[in-house]
Amino acid sequence: MKALVLPGGWDSWRSPVDRSTPAHLVRIANKPLLEYVLETIRNIGVTDIGLVIDDREPQTVGAVGGDVRVIPHHGAPGTLPALAAARDFLDGDDFLLYSGGNLLADGLGAAAAEFRSTRPVAQLLVHKVPDPSAFVVAEVGENGVVLDLRDHPADSGGSNLAVIGAYFFTAEIHAAAAAVSAATSGATEPGVIDVVRWLHGRGVEIGSQEYYGFWRAVESPDALLECNRQMLGELHRDIAGDVDDETELVGPVVVAAGARVVRSRIVGPAIVGADTVVEGSKVGPNTAVGRDCVIHAATLTDSIVFDGASVRATSLRDFVVGRFAWIVPAGDRGTAPIRLEPREDLSLPGRLADSAAAKHGRHLHDTAEVTAWLGGRARAHRYQVERIPITELDGWSTHPETGNLAHRSGKFFTIEGLDVTVDGGSPRSYRHWQQPIIVQPEVGILGILVKEFDGVLHCLLQAKMEPGNPEPLQLSPTVQATHSNYTGVHNGASVPYLEYFLDPGRGKVIADVLQSEHGSWFSRKVNRNMIIEVDEEVPPRADFCWLTLGQVGDLLWQDNVVNMDTRTVLACAPASVAEPGALHSDAEVLSWFTAERSRYDVAARHIPLADVTDWSSDEWAIRHARDWYFQVVAVSVRADRREVARWSQPLIEPIRLGLIAFVLRQIAGVPHLLVHARAEGGFRNGVEMGPTVQLTPQYHELDGSPRSRFLDLVLDAAPERVRYTSVQSEEGGRLLNAENRYLIVEADESQAPLRPPEGYLWVTPSQLGSLLRHGHYVNIQARTLLAAIHTGAVRLYD
């Protein structure tokens, strides 16, 4: 015996719920109705299954298993044309015809056994219903023989047996269906019940089997909710996602992998789908929440929330929330069906400037209090970073053929080789080299929450330990997490406040842009730099504090206090200053940079680490033949209050202190920075704008690179010309003791002319900041110096 599943249809009642999914793919207890249908068929021993789809249902193909034959049907809609399309597949066999919009939760075992035993031409499935007038009703005699069929009878003759959506047929049904189709004219397409009635009228015995289990035709929201309640009743408790200590789970609750539940109560039966965030909410009983949803400060009972939906500050009962729908309080969206938002918040730069001018915060009054708080957090933690042989890395191994260093999970990052050729169109600019490099293709999240206190914007920053930091504890963003971190590859604790950045709609987006990391140490690595403003209460946890931009600016004068990730995010804040003009228009700046990118041909390709020339390895390190640049080492780490308390990993350790500097000029009263178009092997686009000087002076010229004509200007600058200086470490999660001295040095025409050498251009800080609304224009070293300007650490404007 075979089985044929007919389309579930595109019922009009579902258009507010889901406009793009056929009925048989509607999810019940987070599983498509079609999966229940196929399970019911397989449970009666039928494995040869055909599924008829029309040309609007390509998504159905991906929802079925390999034992299902998909039968496209492009003709007229209806049961009989679909049956005709499947005739070759059925090939004269007995078959079950299952209407895909029906749920038969208790299976077809008895009906299938009866049909196999008696083999009538047609056997109907009938079910007792309270209101027979809504159905085709069968009057049944002894042994289940059908005596009569009535269409929606006002008087059913005493029978309350409705014909429901599963039929068993022998091959004789095909000739009957063809005869009925040929004899029918008019707008109404005959259905399978018309064929059964045609057979009955010609004396063919029709059988029936009463179905005693749960059945619903999924043809209304109420029926969908009833099916959902029924199938949720079969759940068993399974917690694969992250559930915090403030959440209460009662009864059979399923939290799928990747989901996060925070400060909530979930009463079973209930299910929370993958990658969904539930916060401060009450869910259940009898509630299914799909994947990629956000449930915030809401109450859901006896409801269904389809994938990608968001429900906030709302109480719902007996409700179906459609895919990607937003349910918010009435006042949150206004009364107009469409509301246009301002393209730019004109008040935001001024509010950011006010925060940069505020040197005292709401919670920690001044810099001394912040420093004391950081010291207290450091004493409250235990950290231990110990160098170990590379061969003792736990979970890491060196590939026997390529020499690449990788984690056994296949996640996190790898250390591979990179072959780089940079051709700027002249012998002076041509370079070729090979090196080890970090390969981490995933996109991390670097996010800062901001909130007004007493009318002043404050940033929520974290005292976070990184194994490569010179000072273990530094001020990091609210969230600093790789994709592996927040998807739980390391099986560690959940990332605090992550929900605000996975769902930026919870607040107001101030900045959200992909930016590069160090092009000399990372291959094409990018992070999502985000700033989200919230107005709800966000209590800081023990290692978090609210600081003004001005307080951060004061801390940027101290060495190794504000980490790299905080600096790059704050550089992306849309700070701007009303400037009377600039030496070059914005269009000219973009034209110059486009020409620079066009001038350089940067060819970077990954090669086996074992094939990198001028580098060698031993038990303790992978290093350059002359001990230049950096080395790859291994460390073992113990740290409480991290997502994972103990681990080991490789790190890149630079050999010497680097020098990063912007040369500054006041041109017609407007500050300008001298940017340099830099080609680096790890950049996705080959070239980004960097500071005037960016190098390790001890290696300058030794490796064949041209000497910067501005290096001596920076090194020999008089103290009154140095507008900013501090030592700042770089990304401590992958780099060990990677420090650079950052400077902004003021110059005059004799030292830095208005017409600089090739590859350099004068731009204003605001022009550079505007480019940071887009990714891959301004490198991470330049972003650190811009952060010092944006936070008021350096006052360039009177």
Side-chain angles (χ1 to χ4, degrees):
M1 187 165 64
K2 295 180 178 177
L4 184 66
V5 180
L6 298 184
W10 295 75
D11 305 292
S12 60
W13 69 267
R14 288 171 41 261
S15 60
V17 173
D18 184 353
R19 300 174 187 273
S20 61
T21 305
H24 57 269
L25 293 186
V26 169
R27 289 181 175 266
I28 298 170
N30 282 14
K31 191 163 75 172
L33 173 58
L34 180 59
E35 287 193 24
Y36 294 110
V37 170
L38 296 177
E39 286 175 6
T40 297
I41 295 171
R42 290 166 181 146
N43 285 342
I44 61 171
V46 176
T47 58
D48 205 353
I49 306 170
L51 173 65
V52 178
I53 65 170
D54 67 24
D55 54 9
R56 294 179 296 172
E57 297 180 39
Q59 64 266 56
T60 299
V61 177
V64 299
D67 61 341
V68 177
R69 172 89 63 85
V70 175
I71 304 169
H73 171 55
H74 308 290
T79 304
L80 299 193
L83 186 60
R87 189 162 183 175
D88 289 343
F89 161 74
L90 294 171
D91 193 28
D93 291 320
D94 295 350
F95 65 98
L96 163 67
L97 182 68
Y98 198 129
S99 178
N102 289 264
L103 178 66
L104 295 158
D106 292 282
L108 292 171
E114 176 67 20
F115 175 73
R116 287 177 170 125
S117 173
T118 59
R119 290 191 72 244
V121 174
Q123 178 177 294
L124 309 181
L125 201 67
V126 295
H127 182 70
K128 291 179 180 178
V129 294
D131 181 13
S133 65
F135 302 90
V136 174
V137 174
E139 183 180 343
V140 177
E142 294 182 2
N143 300 321
V145 174
V146 174
L147 304 178
D148 197 8
L149 293 168
R150 297 187 177 91
D151 287 320
H152 315 296
D155 178 9
S156 63
S159 175
N160 61 352
L161 293 175
V163 178
I164 60 177
Y167 312 82
F168 292 88
F169 294 118
T170 67
E172 295 177 50
I173 194 69
H174 297 297
V180 171
S181 294
T184 303
S185 61
T188 302
E189 174 70 32
V192 68
I193 201 68
D194 297 301
V195 178
V196 173
R197 185 180 286 110
W198 185 88
L199 288 168
H200 184 265
R202 282 155 179 75
V204 176
E205 185 174 291
I206 307 299
S208 71
Q209 176 71 28
E210 186 171 353
Y211 177 77
Y212 296 97
F214 178 89
W215 161 77
R216 286 295 178 273
V218 187
E219 56 189 9
S220 70
D222 288 342
L224 181 61
L225 289 168
E226 189 173 357
C227 291
N228 191 62
R229 285 190 290 270
Q230 174 69 25
M231 302 318 296
L232 286 174
E234 299 182 6
L235 287 184
H236 298 281
R237 191 181 182 97
D238 183 8
I239 311 301
D242 292 332
V243 179
D244 75 349
D245 293 338
E246 300 177 58
T247 291
E248 181 184 9
L249 304 180
V250 180
V253 173
V254 172
V255 179
R260 295 186 67 244
V261 184
V262 181
R263 300 188 301 278
S264 298
R265 187 171 192 264
I266 302 182
V267 179
I271 185 169
V272 177
D275 302 317
T276 282
V277 176
V278 178
E279 182 184 16
S281 298
K282 298 178 181 179
V283 175
N286 300 317
T287 298
V289 180
R291 64 183 305 139
D292 296 311
C293 298
V294 175
I295 311 299
H296 176 69
T299 299
L300 301 173
T301 307
D302 289 286
S303 295
I304 300 172
V305 181
F306 286 148
D307 294 353
S310 181
V311 182
R312 305 168 186 276
T314 304
S315 180
L316 302 177
R317 179 183 290 272
D318 296 322
F319 204 89
V320 180
V321 180
R323 281 201 311 163
F324 308 117
W326 280 59
I327 306 294
V328 298
D332 286 7
R333 287 288 180 182
T335 57
I338 298 177
R339 184 179 69 185
L340 299 180
E341 298 287 346
R343 291 182 57 194
E344 188 172 1
D345 182 354
L346 299 179
S347 70
L348 182 58
R351 295 168 62 218
L352 292 168
D354 289 344
S355 181
K359 302 299 184 180
H360 302 285
R362 165 79 174 271
H363 301 94
L364 297 173
H365 183 67
D366 55 22
T367 304
E369 284 192 23
V370 178
T371 303
W373 175 81
L374 272 172
R377 298 320 305 156
R379 290 189 295 273
H381 295 277
R382 292 189 304 273
Y383 309 111
Q384 181 180 347
V385 179
E386 179 183 9
R387 291 177 187 260
I388 60 174
I390 292 177
T391 53
E392 292 184 10
L393 283 168
D394 182 22
W396 297 78
S397 61
T398 300
H399 193 278
E401 296 180 3
T402 65
N404 294 345
L405 193 57
H407 193 264
R408 64 188 171 202
S409 68
K411 304 291 185 180
F412 301 114
F413 62 95
T414 57
I415 306 289
E416 302 180 17
L418 191 72
D419 181 279
V420 186
T421 301
V422 176
D423 187 354
S426 68
R428 179 180 173 84
S429 62
Y430 180 87
R431 296 185 65 208
H432 173 262
W433 73 94
Q434 295 179 344
Q435 65 168 93
I437 200 156
I438 297 170
V439 179
Q440 188 172 2
E442 63 186 26
V443 177
I445 291 179
L446 307 178
I448 294 179
L449 286 182
V450 298
K451 177 179 170 62
E452 275 195 1
F453 295 98
D454 302 325
V456 178
L457 283 174
H458 287 59
C459 306
L460 185 61
L461 299 183
Q462 175 185 183
K464 186 178 180 70
M465 177 270 183
E466 292 290 357
N469 289 346
E471 297 294 332
L473 212 63
Q474 294 185 356
L475 284 173
S476 77
T478 317
V479 167
Q480 175 185 320
T482 66
H483 187 267
S484 295
N485 288 148
Y486 64 79
T487 55
V489 171
H490 50 36
N491 295 318
S494 58
V495 179
Y497 305 110
L498 178 64
E499 60 272 14
Y500 292 94
F501 302 95
L502 293 181
D503 174 33
R506 292 189 58 172
K508 176 182 176 182
V509 178
I510 290 179
D512 190 351
V513 60
L514 291 176
Q515 298 289 5
S516 62
E517 284 206 39
H518 299 81
S520 296
W521 294 323
F522 293 87
S523 176
R524 302 170 65 85
K525 177 73 172 73
V526 295
N527 289 308
R528 192 176 177 187
N529 288 234
M530 306 177 71
I531 305 176
I532 304 295
E533 182 179 2
V534 294
D535 54 15
E536 64 187 76
E537 189 68 26
V538 182
R541 300 191 179 195
D543 290 324
F544 292 78
C545 65
W546 290 100
L547 300 177
T548 68
L549 288 176
Q551 290 178 296
V552 177
D554 282 350
L555 293 167
L556 279 170
W557 280 95
Q558 300 183 23
D559 294 349
N560 298 326
V561 173
V562 180
N563 85 350
M564 182 206 77
D565 297 317
T566 299
R567 303 192 305 261
T568 180
V569 174
L570 292 180
C572 297
S576 64
V577 175
E579 297 168 337
L583 185 61
H584 303 286
S585 70
D586 291 359
E588 288 171 340
V589 172
L590 284 172
S591 177
W592 167 81
F593 187 56
T594 301
E596 288 296 308
R597 276 188 169 168
S598 301
R599 180 166 70 91
Y600 280 97
D601 181 10
V602 181
R605 62 186 180 89
H606 291 173
I607 62 174
L609 186 58
D611 293 347
V612 174
T613 59
D614 295 327
W615 292 76
S616 62
S617 63
D618 58 27
E619 182 184 9
W620 288 92
I622 302 168
R623 57 173 58 92
H624 189 263
R626 301 181 184 178
D627 282 332
W628 287 357
Y629 312 126
F630 61 86
Q631 60 184 0
V632 180
V633 298
V635 297
S636 173
V637 186
R638 293 186 180 185
D640 61 2
R641 303 208 181 183
R642 280 290 303 251
E643 292 89 355
V644 175
R646 185 173 182 176
W647 74 96
S648 63
Q649 67 173 94
L651 292 171
I652 280 184
E653 182 181 31
I655 301 300
R656 296 183 184 273
L657 180 75
L659 180 69
I660 312 293
F662 262 133
V663 171
L664 164 72
R665 279 195 61 183
Q666 298 287 338
I667 301 174
V670 176
H672 284 67
L673 302 170
L674 187 59
V675 300
H676 182 206
R678 290 188 55 84
E680 297 186 15
F683 288 153
R684 289 197 171 194
N685 293 333
V687 179
E688 294 189 10
M689 295 186 199
T692 319
V693 175
Q694 178 184 323
L695 48 81
T696 303
Q698 288 85 348
Y699 304 138
H700 200 54
E701 294 184 337
L702 293 176
D703 61 358
S705 60
R707 182 176 180 82
S708 168
R709 67 174 290 177
F710 300 103
L711 175 60
D712 292 336
L713 184 160
V714 172
L715 293 176
D716 300 336
E720 64 270 17
R721 290 282 191 173
V722 178
R723 303 291 296 272
Y724 173 75
T725 179
S726 69
V727 173
Q728 300 294 343
S729 63
E730 306 304 326
E731 209 284 290
R734 301 289 179 264
L735 311 173
L736 178 63
N737 299 322
E739 295 179 288
N740 288 302
R741 177 164 294 282
Y742 282 88
L743 301 100
I744 297 179
V745 176
E746 194 164 8
D748 57 27
E749 174 67 20
S750 65
Q751 298 168 308
L754 292 184
R755 297 191 63 177
E758 183 181 55
Y760 294 83
L761 191 75
W762 291 105
V763 300
T764 71
S766 289
Q767 286 179 312
L768 210 53
S770 68
L771 290 172
L772 280 170
R773 298 183 181 185
H774 313 280
H776 309 298
Y777 278 93
V778 182
N779 78 358
I780 200 163
Q781 291 87 349
R783 296 200 297 271
T784 280
L785 291 169
L786 275 178
I789 295 171
H790 287 175
T791 59
V794 188
R795 292 187 61 84
L796 301 183
Y797 301 88
D798 296 328

